[in-house]
Amino acid sequence: MEKHYTDSQVKGVSTGTTVLAVIFDGGVVIGSDSRASIGGEYISSKTINKVIQVHDRIFCCIAGSLADAQAVTKAAKFHLSFHSVQMESPPLVIAAASVLKELCYNNKDELQAGFITAGWDRKKGPQVYVVALGGMLVSQSVTIGGSGSTYIHGYVDAKYKPNMTREECLQFATNALALAMGRDNVSGGVAHLVVITEGGVEHVVVPGNKLPKFHDE
Protein backbone atom coordinates (compact mmCIF):
# COMPACT_ATOMS: atom_id res chain seq x y z
CA MET A 1 0.00 0.00 0.00
CA GLU A 2 1.49 3.32 -1.03
CA LYS A 3 1.40 6.07 1.59
CA HIS A 4 3.19 9.25 2.42
CA TYR A 5 2.95 11.34 5.55
CA THR A 6 4.13 14.93 5.79
CA ASP A 7 5.07 16.77 8.98
CA SER A 8 2.82 19.72 9.75
CA GLN A 9 3.83 20.38 13.34
CA VAL A 10 5.92 23.53 12.89
CA LYS A 11 6.17 26.93 14.51
CA GLY A 12 4.15 29.89 13.28
CA VAL A 13 0.96 29.60 11.25
CA SER A 14 0.80 26.08 9.87
CA THR A 15 -1.72 23.96 8.06
CA GLY A 16 -2.29 21.41 10.82
CA THR A 17 -4.11 19.48 8.24
CA THR A 18 -5.35 16.52 6.28
CA VAL A 19 -4.43 16.39 2.60
CA LEU A 20 -4.79 13.61 0.06
CA ALA A 21 -4.72 12.74 -3.63
CA VAL A 22 -6.12 9.65 -5.36
CA ILE A 23 -5.94 8.47 -8.96
CA PHE A 24 -9.11 7.00 -10.48
CA ASP A 25 -9.91 5.65 -13.93
CA GLY A 26 -9.42 8.67 -16.18
CA GLY A 27 -8.50 11.32 -13.64
CA VAL A 28 -7.38 12.29 -10.16
CA VAL A 29 -8.97 13.76 -7.03
CA ILE A 30 -6.95 16.04 -4.76
CA GLY A 31 -8.36 17.47 -1.54
CA SER A 32 -7.91 18.90 1.94
CA ASP A 33 -9.66 20.31 4.97
CA SER A 34 -9.70 24.08 5.58
CA ARG A 35 -8.14 24.78 8.99
CA ALA A 36 -4.86 26.56 9.75
CA SER A 37 -3.32 26.48 13.22
CA ILE A 38 -0.58 28.09 15.29
CA GLY A 39 1.63 25.67 17.17
CA GLY A 40 -0.72 22.80 16.39
CA GLU A 41 -3.15 23.98 19.09
CA TYR A 42 -4.73 27.36 18.32
CA ILE A 43 -6.97 27.48 15.22
CA SER A 44 -6.04 30.71 13.41
CA SER A 45 -8.35 30.21 10.42
CA LYS A 46 -11.19 27.90 9.44
CA THR A 47 -11.35 28.94 5.78
CA ILE A 48 -7.93 28.24 4.23
CA ASN A 49 -8.03 26.63 0.80
CA LYS A 50 -4.97 24.38 0.74
CA VAL A 51 -5.63 23.08 -2.79
CA ILE A 52 -3.63 25.48 -4.96
CA GLN A 53 -3.84 25.63 -8.76
CA VAL A 54 -0.36 25.99 -10.26
CA HIS A 55 -1.43 25.48 -13.89
CA ASP A 56 -4.57 24.65 -15.89
CA ARG A 57 -4.77 20.96 -14.93
CA ILE A 58 -2.17 20.82 -12.17
CA PHE A 59 -2.89 21.40 -8.48
CA CYS A 60 -1.00 20.93 -5.25
CA CYS A 61 -1.95 20.50 -1.59
CA ILE A 62 0.14 22.15 1.10
CA ALA A 63 1.14 20.94 4.55
CA GLY A 64 3.50 22.59 7.02
CA SER A 65 4.29 26.28 7.36
CA LEU A 66 1.61 28.26 5.54
CA ALA A 67 3.92 31.16 4.70
CA ASP A 68 6.59 28.82 3.29
CA ALA A 69 4.05 26.88 1.24
CA GLN A 70 2.47 30.02 -0.21
CA ALA A 71 5.89 31.39 -1.19
CA VAL A 72 6.87 28.14 -2.91
CA THR A 73 3.58 27.77 -4.82
CA LYS A 74 3.78 31.41 -5.97
CA ALA A 75 7.28 30.79 -7.34
CA ALA A 76 6.15 27.51 -8.93
CA LYS A 77 3.29 29.26 -10.75
CA PHE A 78 5.77 31.73 -12.24
CA HIS A 79 8.18 28.98 -13.34
CA LEU A 80 5.40 26.91 -14.94
CA SER A 81 3.89 29.88 -16.72
CA PHE A 82 7.28 30.75 -18.21
CA HIS A 83 7.89 27.08 -19.06
CA SER A 84 4.59 26.79 -20.94
CA VAL A 85 5.43 29.89 -23.00
CA GLN A 86 8.84 28.48 -23.88
CA MET A 87 7.48 25.05 -24.81
CA GLU A 88 4.33 26.42 -26.47
CA SER A 89 2.30 23.75 -24.66
CA PRO A 90 1.00 23.07 -21.15
CA PRO A 91 3.60 21.72 -18.70
CA LEU A 92 3.62 18.05 -17.70
CA VAL A 93 2.61 17.12 -14.17
CA ILE A 94 6.11 15.76 -13.50
CA ALA A 95 7.53 19.13 -14.56
CA ALA A 96 5.39 20.89 -11.95
CA ALA A 97 6.39 18.39 -9.27
CA SER A 98 10.05 18.79 -10.26
CA VAL A 99 9.82 22.59 -9.93
CA LEU A 100 8.41 22.19 -6.42
CA LYS A 101 11.09 19.62 -5.61
CA GLU A 102 13.89 21.97 -6.73
CA LEU A 103 12.45 24.88 -4.76
CA CYS A 104 12.17 22.74 -1.63
CA TYR A 105 15.60 21.17 -2.01
CA ASN A 106 17.42 24.43 -2.73
CA ASN A 107 15.84 25.98 0.36
CA LYS A 108 15.64 22.92 2.59
CA ASP A 109 17.35 24.60 5.54
CA GLU A 110 14.78 27.40 5.63
CA LEU A 111 11.53 25.76 4.51
CA GLN A 112 9.09 23.73 6.57
CA ALA A 113 6.56 22.64 3.95
CA GLY A 114 5.58 19.56 2.00
CA PHE A 115 3.40 19.21 -1.08
CA ILE A 116 1.18 16.76 -2.90
CA THR A 117 1.07 17.51 -6.62
CA ALA A 118 -1.68 16.05 -8.79
CA GLY A 119 -2.90 16.63 -12.30
CA TRP A 120 -3.54 15.34 -15.80
CA ASP A 121 -1.38 15.73 -18.90
CA ARG A 122 -1.39 14.48 -22.48
CA LYS A 123 1.61 12.18 -21.97
CA LYS A 124 0.81 10.12 -18.86
CA GLY A 125 -2.76 11.03 -17.99
CA PRO A 126 -3.61 11.33 -14.27
CA GLN A 127 -0.64 11.45 -11.89
CA VAL A 128 0.17 12.08 -8.22
CA TYR A 129 3.56 13.11 -6.86
CA VAL A 130 4.69 13.76 -3.30
CA VAL A 131 7.32 16.41 -2.56
CA ALA A 132 8.47 15.85 1.01
CA LEU A 133 10.37 18.11 3.37
CA GLY A 134 13.89 18.46 1.97
CA GLY A 135 12.85 17.90 -1.64
CA MET A 136 12.30 14.14 -2.04
CA LEU A 137 10.02 13.38 -5.02
CA VAL A 138 7.92 10.19 -5.17
CA SER A 139 5.23 9.08 -7.62
CA GLN A 140 2.21 7.34 -6.05
CA SER A 141 -1.33 6.33 -6.94
CA VAL A 142 -2.78 7.35 -3.56
CA THR A 143 -1.23 9.45 -0.83
CA ILE A 144 -2.30 11.06 2.44
CA GLY A 145 -0.52 13.66 4.53
CA GLY A 146 -0.73 16.07 7.45
CA SER A 147 -1.56 15.58 11.11
CA GLY A 148 -5.00 14.14 10.34
CA SER A 149 -3.58 11.34 8.21
CA THR A 150 -2.55 9.56 11.42
CA TYR A 151 -6.18 8.62 11.97
CA ILE A 152 -7.02 7.26 8.51
CA HIS A 153 -4.22 4.82 7.66
CA GLY A 154 -6.51 1.87 8.26
CA TYR A 155 -9.38 3.32 6.25
CA VAL A 156 -7.13 4.06 3.26
CA ASP A 157 -5.54 0.60 3.40
CA ALA A 158 -8.93 -1.11 3.57
CA LYS A 159 -10.96 0.98 1.13
CA TYR A 160 -8.58 2.13 -1.60
CA LYS A 161 -8.71 0.16 -4.85
CA PRO A 162 -7.17 0.87 -8.27
CA ASN A 163 -9.30 2.04 -11.20
CA MET A 164 -12.16 3.43 -9.16
CA THR A 165 -14.85 5.40 -10.95
CA ARG A 166 -15.06 9.16 -10.49
CA GLU A 167 -17.99 8.80 -8.08
CA GLU A 168 -16.27 6.07 -6.05
CA CYS A 169 -13.09 8.12 -5.79
CA LEU A 170 -14.95 11.26 -4.70
CA GLN A 171 -16.77 9.28 -2.00
CA PHE A 172 -13.52 7.64 -0.88
CA ALA A 173 -11.78 11.03 -0.58
CA THR A 174 -14.73 12.66 1.17
CA ASN A 175 -15.00 9.81 3.69
CA ALA A 176 -11.26 9.88 4.40
CA LEU A 177 -11.29 13.65 5.04
CA ALA A 178 -14.42 13.38 7.20
CA LEU A 179 -12.85 10.64 9.34
CA ALA A 180 -9.66 12.65 9.85
CA MET A 181 -11.52 15.87 10.58
CA GLY A 182 -13.64 14.07 13.16
CA ARG A 183 -10.59 12.95 15.13
CA ASP A 184 -7.82 15.50 14.54
CA ASN A 185 -8.29 18.71 16.54
CA VAL A 186 -6.43 20.84 13.97
CA SER A 187 -8.20 19.43 10.92
CA GLY A 188 -11.72 20.62 10.20
CA GLY A 189 -13.92 23.18 8.50
CA VAL A 190 -15.00 22.22 5.00
CA ALA A 191 -13.62 19.66 2.55
CA HIS A 192 -12.07 21.17 -0.57
CA LEU A 193 -11.88 18.67 -3.45
CA VAL A 194 -10.75 19.11 -7.05
CA VAL A 195 -11.44 16.54 -9.79
CA ILE A 196 -8.97 16.74 -12.69
CA THR A 197 -9.54 14.92 -15.98
CA GLU A 198 -8.79 15.34 -19.66
CA GLY A 199 -12.11 17.16 -19.97
CA GLY A 200 -11.25 19.82 -17.42
CA VAL A 201 -11.30 20.69 -13.73
CA GLU A 202 -14.21 20.53 -11.28
CA HIS A 203 -14.14 22.09 -7.81
CA VAL A 204 -16.23 20.42 -5.11
CA VAL A 205 -16.74 21.95 -1.65
CA VAL A 206 -18.43 19.85 1.03
CA PRO A 207 -19.54 21.95 4.04
CA GLY A 208 -18.82 20.57 7.49
CA ASN A 209 -22.48 19.87 8.20
CA LYS A 210 -22.76 17.87 4.94
CA LEU A 211 -19.80 15.58 5.58
CA PRO A 212 -20.48 11.88 6.26
CA LYS A 213 -20.89 10.96 9.93
CA PHE A 214 -18.98 8.11 11.53
CA HIS A 215 -18.50 6.48 14.99
CA ASP A 216 -20.12 8.57 17.77
CA GLU A 217 -20.41 11.94 16.01
Side-chain angles (χ1 to χ4, degrees):
M1 182 68 214
E2 295 175 298
K3 296 188 286 289
H4 179 76
Y5 316 114
T6 56
D7 180 14
S8 61
Q9 300 301 312
V10 294
K11 295 180 180 179
V13 178
S14 64
T15 55
T17 188
T18 306
V19 293
L20 55 78
V22 190
I23 292 175
F24 65 90
D25 185 18
V28 60
V29 172
I30 184 169
S32 77
D33 72 313
S34 65
R35 280 187 182 172
S37 65
I38 295 177
E41 298 172 358
Y42 171 72
I43 305 301
S44 59
S45 176
K46 297 180 180 179
T47 57
I48 294 292
N49 185 0
K50 305 167 197 173
V51 184
I52 309 298
Q53 187 171 21
V54 293
H55 209 268
D56 294 346
R57 287 183 174 83
I58 306 174
F59 287 74
C60 67
C61 274
I62 58 179
S65 166
L66 187 58
D68 289 352
Q70 288 175 334
V72 170
T73 53
K74 185 177 180 180
K77 287 180 183 180
F78 172 80
H79 281 284
L80 292 172
S81 178
F82 186 68
H83 175 77
S84 65
V85 171
Q86 281 186 312
M87 301 300 293
E88 298 183 341
S89 64
L92 301 178
V93 181
I94 184 62
S98 297
V99 167
L100 288 167
K101 178 199 74 171
E102 289 298 320
L103 290 167
C104 289
Y105 179 76
N106 292 337
N107 300 279
K108 60 182 179 293
D109 294 331
E110 289 79 30
L111 293 178
Q112 290 287 336
F115 301 88
I116 297 173
T117 306
W120 184 96
D121 63 45
R122 65 195 180 279
K123 188 174 182 179
K124 290 188 176 180
Q127 298 149 73
V128 171
Y129 297 95
V130 176
V131 180
L133 294 174
M136 182 181 72
L137 177 63
V138 181
S139 173
Q140 299 186 307
S141 57
V142 57
T143 187
I144 57 177
S147 55
S149 67
T150 306
Y151 303 94
I152 57 174
H153 298 169
Y155 176 80
V156 172
D157 285 346
K159 297 297 185 180
Y160 170 75
K161 58 183 180 181
N163 300 315
M164 287 187 285
T165 66
R166 175 190 175 281
E167 289 72 24
E168 288 174 332
C169 191
L170 264 177
Q171 192 62 60
F172 169 83
T174 302
N175 288 349
L177 288 173
L179 284 164
M181 292 158 68
R183 293 293 190 186
D184 181 30
N185 68 318
V186 288
S187 293
V190 305
H192 288 284
L193 296 161
V194 177
V195 184
I196 312 163
T197 64
E198 182 179 6
V201 171
E202 179 187 356
H203 296 259
V204 179
V205 178
V206 185
N209 61 351
K210 300 295 184 181
L211 287 169
K213 301 294 184 182
F214 298 94
H215 51 82
D216 58 350
E217 291 183 296

